[in-house]
Amino acid sequence: MDFRNNSANVSAQFAIQKSAINNGNEKEKGTSSEIPSDGEPLKVQASGHKAVQGNLGNQIPAVIDLGDGFILKALQKPPRGERELNFYQHVSDEACVDSDLQMLKPFLPHFSGKIDRDGGSYLKLSNLIHGYRRPCVMDLKMGCITYDCNATQEKILSELKKFPPAKQLGFQITGMMIYDPVKETYEEIKKDYTRKLTEETIVPNGLSLFFRLHGEHSRGDLLPPLLVKLRMLEQWFSIQKKFSFIASSLLITYDGYQQLNGRPDHKLPYRSEKGQENSSEYSCISGGNREKQAAESVPLWGKCEELSKSNGTGRSISVISHGEQNSTDKIGLHLIDFAHVFPSDNIDHNVLFGIRKLISCLQSMIS
């Protein structure tokens, strides 16, 4: 299916808000611009609030970029913040030997504890776009149902009205930031645009925008490796019976920087805050302590003999070969936002349905 001629129709239907971020001479310097030692608000954010209320009633940044491969994400008010913290602590516990959770780890930001500062409480997480020169991000809220068992009738009605097509799609785009290598600016696509999408327009007017299939410098090359990762996540959700993920999101990321000849280059060097040159191939790992995270990722992305091909129920789990691993480095896929995660003893069909619909949509975009 060809969406390259669709940009005029898209622009006519909805207005895309554009903002110039990290423009001009900085384009050759990588993403390691000077960041204060105490951090600064994260610049490239697909969705969510820029500021939230702190413990003292003050306004604090919702996400702080520490500049060292980690971010601070503000904890929500109880019980939502407590649920998210408890989930991260449980999954990250070194004493946890649950094979299902070990398989999920490569799809999660690396968690480094809770931090209190400036009147707020924060989760310290790996920065999933650390090392990208021009990070492109898309947030997909997963599930037909995005309200939990404790929701009031008012909350339920509010969630249903936000994006009615979620019932058929099982997911919704809540925001995107896409770098335009020609104009050297970002396109910031917000909820006022994405909530007008329908089951029929979610692909040509939504997902295709993120991969620039509607114009020059298409990133259709990212679709196959993304599908590889999505199918593995689909397999995990088709087996796990420990958690129900309500209103969690999939964050999809890639580096929008392209060489002057227009070809993507995913091996460009970037500089850390100490000036040491590194390879941006590490950006597919979630920042922070890369050696540790790479080790945690090994059972899923390769070293097949180290991973049992069954979870004990007789169902097989596929693994990615080393050749496929190289291609999947091009694009990041992570599960985020766990303020509404609850214990469960059933398969999470709500999210599983959305993942399968997303796979179907992406497959239709490959001509």
Side-chain angles (χ1 to χ4, degrees):
M1 190 176 295
D2 188 355
F3 300 114
R4 289 175 294 181
N5 298 323
N6 195 57
S7 58
N9 293 332
V10 173
S11 299
Q13 290 180 35
F14 309 117
I16 297 180
Q17 300 182 9
K18 300 181 179 180
S19 60
I21 299 179
N22 297 334
N23 201 0
N25 295 331
E26 192 182 354
K27 66 179 181 179
E28 295 300 332
K29 299 180 183 178
T31 58
S32 58
S33 56
E34 294 289 336
I35 294 180
S37 58
D38 58 347
E40 65 180 14
L42 186 67
K43 293 179 180 178
V44 180
Q45 189 174 335
S47 64
H49 299 290
K50 304 297 182 182
V52 295
Q53 188 174 18
N55 299 333
L56 305 177
N58 56 322
Q59 288 292 305
I60 60 174
V63 184
I64 298 173
D65 181 4
L66 296 177
D68 59 356
F70 284 91
I71 61 168
L72 298 180
K73 177 186 176 184
L75 272 176
Q76 299 184 48
K77 294 180 179 180
R80 291 173 294 177
E82 293 174 347
R83 279 196 295 262
E84 184 160 35
L85 175 61
N86 290 339
F87 175 78
Y88 273 117
Q89 289 175 332
H90 178 64
V91 175
S92 302
D93 188 347
E94 293 184 359
C96 177
V97 294
D98 189 304
S99 60
D100 284 347
L101 294 183
Q102 292 300 319
M103 291 178 61
L104 181 64
K105 274 189 175 182
F107 291 103
L108 303 178
H110 181 71
F111 173 68
S112 292
K114 174 177 171 287
I115 293 178
D116 294 319
R117 55 172 271 181
D118 303 329
S121 297
Y122 290 88
L123 300 170
K124 186 176 182 180
L125 304 169
S126 54
N127 184 352
L128 300 176
I129 57 174
H130 182 67
Y132 287 175
R133 286 185 176 231
R134 293 294 177 264
C136 298
V137 294
M138 174 168 63
D139 187 296
L140 300 168
K141 184 179 289 189
M142 303 305 296
C144 306
I145 297 173
T146 56
Y147 52 86
D148 63 38
C149 55
N150 299 321
T152 63
Q153 188 63 27
E154 181 181 3
K155 175 65 174 178
I156 293 173
L157 292 176
S158 172
E159 287 296 309
L160 292 174
K161 289 180 180 179
K162 285 180 180 178
F163 189 69
K167 184 177 181 180
Q168 291 76 37
L169 287 169
F171 69 89
Q172 53 187 292
I173 302 172
T174 59
M176 294 185 274
M177 289 196 73
I178 314 162
Y179 182 69
D180 186 329
V182 177
K183 298 179 180 179
E184 298 183 340
T185 60
Y186 272 88
E187 294 178 346
E188 185 175 7
I189 302 177
K190 298 184 178 181
K191 291 178 181 178
D192 58 351
Y193 175 92
T194 61
R195 285 181 178 171
K196 295 177 183 178
L197 296 172
T198 65
E199 187 178 5
E200 291 73 27
T201 62
I202 192 73
V203 170
N205 296 358
L207 295 172
S208 68
L209 292 182
F210 185 63
F211 296 99
R212 302 189 57 80
L213 300 187
H214 58 289
E216 287 186 282
H217 305 286
S218 167
R219 296 313 311 270
D221 62 299
L222 299 175
L223 293 174
L226 176 58
L227 284 167
V228 170
K229 290 188 174 184
L230 276 170
R231 290 189 181 105
M232 294 203 70
L233 196 59
E234 175 197 10
Q235 290 178 356
W236 187 83
F237 270 96
S238 70
I239 292 172
Q240 77 89 22
K241 296 182 179 180
K242 295 179 174 65
F243 297 102
S244 174
F245 294 82
I246 303 295
S248 291
S249 292
L250 288 180
L251 189 72
I252 301 176
T253 60
Y254 69 86
D255 195 337
Y257 181 86
Q258 294 178 307
Q259 290 179 305
L260 294 179
N261 61 11
R263 290 182 300 145
D265 189 342
H266 301 283
K267 300 294 182 182
L268 292 166
Y270 67 92
R271 294 188 178 275
S272 67
E273 74 277 11
K274 295 181 180 180
Q276 181 179 1
E277 193 167 82
N278 300 284
S279 169
S280 63
E281 62 184 328
Y282 290 112
S283 62
C284 66
I285 300 174
S286 311
N289 188 335
R290 294 188 177 88
E291 291 182 0
K292 178 179 179 182
Q293 292 169 54
E296 291 175 346
S297 301
V298 163
L300 187 59
W301 301 127
K303 308 289 186 183
C304 304
E305 289 75 14
E306 298 179 16
L307 174 65
S308 169
K309 292 189 177 182
S310 170
N311 73 327
T313 64
R315 295 185 179 183
S316 61
I317 302 292
S318 66
V319 291
I320 294 180
S321 68
H322 289 293
E324 289 173 318
Q325 181 179 355
N326 292 333
S327 66
T328 57
D329 287 354
K330 294 181 178 181
I331 189 161
L333 175 70
H334 292 87
L335 188 64
I336 61 172
D337 298 338
F338 307 113
H340 301 277
V341 173
F342 294 88
S344 176
D345 55 7
N346 294 305
I347 289 175
D348 190 346
H349 291 286
N350 186 43
V351 173
L352 182 59
F353 175 79
I355 292 176
R356 288 173 172 168
K357 288 290 288 187
L358 178 59
I359 288 174
S360 177
C361 288
L362 293 174
Q363 285 176 326
S364 73
M365 295 162 60
I366 300 177
S367 55

